[in-house]
Amino acid sequence: MTTYTRLGYYRHDVNKTKWEVADRYRDLRQVGTGAYGIVCSALDRFTGSKVAIKKLQRPFQSELFAKRAYRELRLLKHMKHDNVIGLLDVFTPDLSLDMFQDFYLVMPFMGTDLGKLMKMEKLSEERIQYLVYQILRGLKYIHAAGIIHRVRCLSFSAATRCWIGGILDFGLARQADSEMTGYVVTRWYRAPEVILNWMHYTKTVDIWSVGCIMAEMLMGRPLFKGNDHLDQLTEIMKITGTPTQEFISKLQSQDARNYIQKLPRLKKKDLQSIMPNINPQAISALEAMLLLDPDSRVTAAEGLALPYFTEFRDPEEETEAPPYDHSPDNAEQSVEQWKKLVHKEILTFKPPLVVAETKETAL
C-alpha cells in the first residue's frame, strides 16, 4: 500500500518494513537484508536508471549503530571511482533534526555478480585478466585513502553491490590499523592472518582475497575450501607451506605462535603443479598475492603492474583516493551527537554532476 506523506515523499511497505522515500524513486523491490539494513532496487524516474536504496536498521538505537551509520555515509561520500560504489543520493523524510530517525542511501544497482557469472559459464582468460585488473584498480583507489575493504566472497547478491562494477560495501570496510574479527569474510577467502587474528591487518589482507577469487575463476572451484577456521588454515598451509620462524616471530598472539609451531612441517607447493594448464603469468600473479606473510604480498598498485594485466593496463586510470580523515569516525560521541553529524552530512551532500546509467564492468 502506497501513501503520500509530505510533499515529494511517499510511504510504502516493503516486507512489513515501512519505507518513506523520495517520489523520484519508484518500484521498490527488496533485494537483500542484513543485520544493519535492508536494500531495495528502485527506478530513478529522473535518470531512468535502476538504483539500489539502503535503509539502515534503526541507525540511532545505540552509540555503536550511530557511529557505524555516520562512518558508512562519510566513506560513501568520499569515494568517486568507476570500480568503487559511490553515493548517488542520500535523503531523509524527516523534516528536522529533532524528528530525524531514518535516512536512505542511494547507490548504483549492480544486477549481477561473479558467483552467478561463474555458475553460468567458464570465464575466458581474457575476462579473468580484465576483471581482476578492475578489482585491483578499485583496491588501489581505496587503499590510498587508508581503508581496508575486507574483500568477501564471490557470491555477492545485488544487494551487497560488489565486484561487477564496484567493489565495496563500506559498512564492512575498516581503517587500515584497526582490529577486526574474522567473521565477516567468507572463510574460503579469508587471509590467514584473519583466521587466528594473528596481527594488525594491513592493506594486503585484501590482496589475499583477490588471489583466492582469481584462483577460483581460473580453476572453476575454490582453492582453499576449509570446513572450519583451523581446517581452513590447514588447507592454506598445504599449498603455502608452514610459516618460517621469521614470520612466526611477527605474530602478536602467543597462542597463535604456539599453535603454528606445533603443526607438522609442510613444504610450499608449486601452484603450477596444482594448475598445470594455467598461463604461467597467471601463476606468477597468484604466487605474488597468496603469500602467508602479509608484508611480502604485492600491494594493489604493484599487482596492477604484473605482466598478467599488461593487455588491459592504463596507468593513467589507476588513480588514488584523496586521504580520508578517520578521526571523526573514531571519536566518542553520544547518540544525539552522532545524529547531528549524520544530519549535517546529509544536508551537505552534493550529488554527482551527471548521473548516468549504472556502469557495469563489461562481461
Side-chain angles (χ1 to χ4, degrees), residues 285-297:
L286 289 174
E287 294 274 12
M289 296 179 195
L290 297 174
L291 292 168
L292 270 186
D293 188 343
D295 296 335
S296 301
R297 288 176 211 143

Side-chain angles (χ1 to χ4, degrees), residues 123-132 308 311-312:
L123 297 177
S124 69
E125 178 142 42
E126 189 176 55
R127 261 196 225 187
I128 293 169
Q129 287 170 303
Y130 180 67
L131 288 168
V132 178
Y308 189 60
E311 184 182 345
F312 295 102

Side-chain angles (χ1 to χ4, degrees), residues 16 71 107 112 170-171 195 198 203 244 267 273 334 336 348:
K16 299 180 181 177
R71 195 168 168 282
M107 292 154 285
T112 189
F170 272 133
I195 296 171
W198 285 347
K203 295 164 191 174
T244 63
K267 286 187 178 180
S273 67
S334 68
E336 287 305 312
T348 58

Side-chain angles (χ1 to χ4, degrees), residues 172-191:
L172 301 170
R174 296 288 183 272
Q175 72 185 71
D177 62 351
S178 62
E179 289 291 341
M180 296 180 277
T181 59
Y183 294 100
V184 173
V185 182
T186 297
R187 186 188 309 117
W188 298 340
Y189 309 90
R190 285 187 192 133

Side-chain angles (χ1 to χ4, degrees), residues 8-9 19-26 42-47 49-56 72-74 76-77 79-80 85-93 103-109 161 345-356:
Y9 283 81
W19 283 55
E20 190 171 353
V21 299
D23 193 42
R24 69 184 281 184
Y25 302 113
R26 292 306 187 101
L43 175 68
D44 182 349
R45 295 195 304 159
F46 287 12
T47 65
S49 60
K50 200 171 184 180
V51 295
I53 305 178
K54 181 174 181 178
K55 179 184 183 182
L56 299 181
E72 182 169 6
L73 176 54
R74 281 193 69 230
L76 282 166
K77 284 180 69 174
M79 295 298 145
K80 295 175 176 65
I85 295 293
L87 201 58
L88 299 177
D89 192 11
V90 57
F91 62 85
T92 176
F103 68 99
Y104 299 79
L105 302 164
V106 183
M107 292 154 285
F109 178 79
R161 312 169 313 281
E345 290 292 334
I346 292 171
L347 294 179
T348 58
F349 173 72
K350 294 178 181 176
L353 292 176
V354 178
V355 181

